[in-house]
Amino acid sequence: MLMAAQDRGHARVGPLAARSRTAPALDVDALLDDPDRRIIVCCGAGGVGKTTTSAAIALRAAERGRKVVVLTIDPARRLAQSMGIAKLDNTPRPVPGVAPGAGGSLDAMMLDMKRTFDEVVESQASPEKAAQILANPFYIAVSSSFAGTQEYMAMEKLGQLDRQARESGQYDLIVVDTPPSRSALDFLDAPERLSSFLDGKFMRLLLAPARGPAKLMTTGFGLVTGTMAKIIGAQVLTDMKTFVTAFDTLFGGFRARAQRTFELLQARGTAFLVVAAPEPDAMREAAYFVERLSGESMPLAGLVVNRASTTPAGDLSAEAALAGVERLAASDDADDRLAAGLLRLHADRVRVVERQTRLRGRFATAHPDVATAVLPALAGDVHDLDGLRRIGELLADQD
């Protein structure tokens, strides 16, 4: 599982890789217990443990008295499995087996991109126009597979949950597991990208007859649309024009909600946790995201480094271990050869720890004010609530 090492660890997990002295420890429990903290967004590159981290902090918050809903965008459905839920969908589901403290609770849900888009259309359009849009082949393609739609709908769903929480009081904390994208920045960029597409020159050209006076229906416009029809097909062009014309009245609402959600992410009640693995690419991505959050004036709570290797017991250096390997490897004695193999494994592990420590140290030097939690690489996958509780404990125990 995508977990990482606590460098000042405890006997139960072994001594762990040392953290840079300049990195302050992340106080996870203070973050979760703050009643003004209403949204926590876990972000980072793909494959670094965002889903497990999100689930662990959501569970810990619920068992410390918060009313929590955790939203995952992970198509692998690991969150449902670890929480003992047969299936997650676009509706929050209670998580069985939670031991809530002081009235806490935990619901979980997984983003259904298409259904969320449909809900937006149904809430903003008349029943007749909504039915026209939902049945349009071009809309079906855009809502199901257009680049950036998943990230945009994640923000839409976050906005919906926040409004629901404030109106009903059902939740006082929303934990968001951001989409698994090539770039962690996609979550922030998606609204503008989708807005640019829907408000682009090509779309405005399709809308020209509907928006403008009759004189725009000139021979020149007819030639343009005729050429496009030959390239992409007359029926496809018709579907696109029908969709854009029907969707035009909703577009302002999309942009306005995207702006409100962006402002929500900048609010003091929101906190971003950047999740990374102790690997060069993941740490570079984490550094880039920290800088982007700062540039967008978004509140950063800290960095979670997953899957860090633990330091082997004892103080034998890699060099000393390899020297022992040279002395023992040529021996005819079976015990000597076994010892040589163990020393080689020790040297390899020490070097991995040293490399990871240097990576974290470089990050801390560049970003000395970013509080950091480092988690141990666990022996097996996290597949139940007990595993998530264990991760929550390690996250909180950074002293």
Side-chain angles (χ1 to χ4, degrees):
M1 181 48 65
L2 304 172
M3 290 296 102
Q6 210 274 56
D7 54 353
R8 290 182 301 273
H10 304 268
R12 60 182 181 270
V13 296
L16 305 178
R19 184 192 309 151
S20 168
R21 296 178 184 275
T22 60
L26 175 62
D27 190 341
V28 170
D29 282 347
L31 178 70
L32 300 182
D33 294 346
D34 182 357
D36 294 327
R37 189 72 60 199
R38 300 187 60 86
I39 297 172
I40 297 176
V41 180
C42 293
C43 53
V48 296
K50 293 192 301 290
T51 298
T52 304
T53 301
S54 301
I57 64 174
L59 176 62
R60 187 169 182 84
E63 295 187 336
R64 292 178 68 85
R66 302 295 300 269
K67 294 181 287 185
V68 187
V69 57
V70 55
L71 168 65
T72 184
I73 299 93
D74 182 7
R77 302 182 184 275
R78 289 192 300 271
L79 181 62
Q81 295 168 0
S82 64
M83 290 188 165
I85 300 175
K87 182 181 179 181
L88 286 179
D89 55 23
N90 223 36
T91 301
R93 308 286 181 186
V95 176
V98 176
S105 63
L106 178 59
D107 288 358
M109 62 184 299
M110 187 175 75
L111 179 72
D112 183 328
M113 177 177 68
K114 175 70 165 59
R115 183 60 207 146
T116 300
F117 212 147
D118 291 351
E119 289 172 353
V120 173
V121 172
E122 290 167 346
S123 68
Q124 298 297 312
S126 65
E128 296 77 12
K129 179 165 284 190
Q132 181 185 16
I133 294 173
L134 297 180
N136 184 276
F138 188 70
Y139 166 78
I140 294 172
V142 169
S143 62
S144 302
S145 57
F146 182 74
T149 303
Q150 185 184 50
E151 288 81 3
Y152 180 88
M153 289 305 143
M155 293 190 71
E156 279 281 353
K157 182 56 68 176
L158 172 58
Q160 290 177 12
L161 286 172
D162 181 67
R163 290 190 294 274
Q164 176 185 346
R166 293 178 184 277
E167 291 170 1
S168 68
Q170 183 178 2
Y171 306 117
D172 59 29
L173 180 63
I174 303 168
V175 179
V176 182
D177 164 33
T178 55
S181 307
R182 284 194 312 167
S183 170
L185 304 180
D186 288 349
F187 184 67
L188 298 179
D189 292 335
E192 183 58 33
R193 290 199 343 248
L194 190 61
S195 294
S196 296
F197 166 74
L198 294 173
D199 202 30
K201 293 180 180 179
F202 181 58
M203 293 302 176
R204 283 189 274 115
L205 177 62
L206 293 178
L207 280 169
R211 286 180 173 173
K215 66 180 181 179
L216 288 176
M217 289 298 293
T218 62
T219 302
F221 181 81
L223 289 173
V224 172
T225 56
T227 301
M228 289 192 297
K230 291 178 182 178
I231 296 173
I232 65 175
Q235 186 57 51
V236 173
L237 180 60
T238 299
D239 291 338
M240 292 174 68
K241 291 173 67 175
T242 302
F243 162 72
V244 173
T245 301
F247 199 78
D248 184 44
T249 56
L250 306 183
F251 181 62
F254 268 72
R255 300 202 77 162
R257 282 194 308 281
Q259 181 60 34
R260 285 197 298 270
T261 304
F262 202 80
E263 292 169 356
L264 178 65
L265 293 175
Q266 293 176 316
R268 294 183 63 183
T270 298
F272 281 82
L273 284 176
V274 177
V275 184
E279 301 296 336
D281 289 346
M283 294 300 288
R284 278 194 295 268
E285 189 81 4
Y288 191 26
F289 202 86
V290 165
E291 292 160 9
R292 172 66 186 275
L293 290 172
S294 176
E296 298 285 358
S297 300
M298 293 189 175
L300 173 65
L303 171 72
V304 175
V305 180
N306 278 330
R307 268 196 332 247
S309 298
T310 59
T311 304
D315 56 3
L316 186 66
S317 68
E319 291 72 18
L322 291 175
V325 170
E326 291 183 4
R327 291 194 303 269
L328 297 171
S331 173
D332 293 331
D333 185 81
D335 289 342
D336 286 348
R337 291 197 300 272
L338 176 61
L342 292 175
L343 286 170
R344 184 175 288 108
L345 289 174
H346 177 93
D348 290 344
R349 188 168 172 183
V350 168
R351 286 179 169 174
V352 167
V353 171
E354 290 173 347
R355 184 182 71 246
Q356 294 180 359
T357 302
R358 286 194 298 271
L359 284 171
R360 297 204 310 273
R362 284 198 291 268
F363 180 94
T365 299
H367 306 283
D369 296 328
V370 176
T372 302
V374 187
L375 296 177
L378 302 183
D381 287 348
V382 174
H383 53 78
D384 57 20
L385 291 183
D386 286 340
L388 292 175
R389 286 191 185 98
R390 177 67 177 139
I391 293 168
E393 291 170 359
L394 293 171
L395 271 172
D397 193 5
Q398 296 288 304
D399 293 331

